[in-house]
């Protein structure tokens, strides 16, 4: 039972990490596009909710891993 929690948490952490890498790539792409300051700010603000969601997913997954290890 606790193995499922640990592996599920690991999967959530990996999904969050993939989301964070995607956010980094999107901002790097926007910076290389030579946008104006306002356009760059708008692009970063568009990525920000995805960044926070990915971070939350990763933290939630790590909490599940710790919970599964401590209870198992």
């Amino acid at each position: 039972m606790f193995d499922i929690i640990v592996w599920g948490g690991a999967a959530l952490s990996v999904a969050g990490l993939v989301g964070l890498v995607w956010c980094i790539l999107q901002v790097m792409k926007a910076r290389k596009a030579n946008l104006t300051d306002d356009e760059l700010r708008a692009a970063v603000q568009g990525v920000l909710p995805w960044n926070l969601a990915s971070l939350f997913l990763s933290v939630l997954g790590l909490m599940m891993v710790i919970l599964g290890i401590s209870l198992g």
Side-chain angles (χ1 to χ4, degrees):
M1 165 82 179
F2 294 112
D3 289 340
I4 295 171
I5 294 174
V6 170
W7 286 107
L12 280 178
S13 292
V14 169
L17 183 63
V18 167
L20 288 172
V21 169
W22 178 81
C23 291
I24 290 169
L25 292 176
Q26 290 298 314
V27 171
M28 284 177 54
K29 187 170 93 172
R31 287 186 69 194
K32 288 183 181 178
N34 291 330
L35 301 174
T36 65
D37 192 35
D38 291 334
E39 291 171 340
L40 183 61
R41 185 174 289 122
V44 170
Q45 285 177 351
V47 173
L48 183 67
W50 292 101
N51 188 13
L52 291 175
S54 298
L55 204 60
F56 176 72
L57 197 64
S58 182
V59 167
L60 189 65
L62 288 174
M63 288 171 51
M64 286 176 61
V65 169
I66 291 171
L67 183 69
I69 289 173
S70 5
L71 294 177

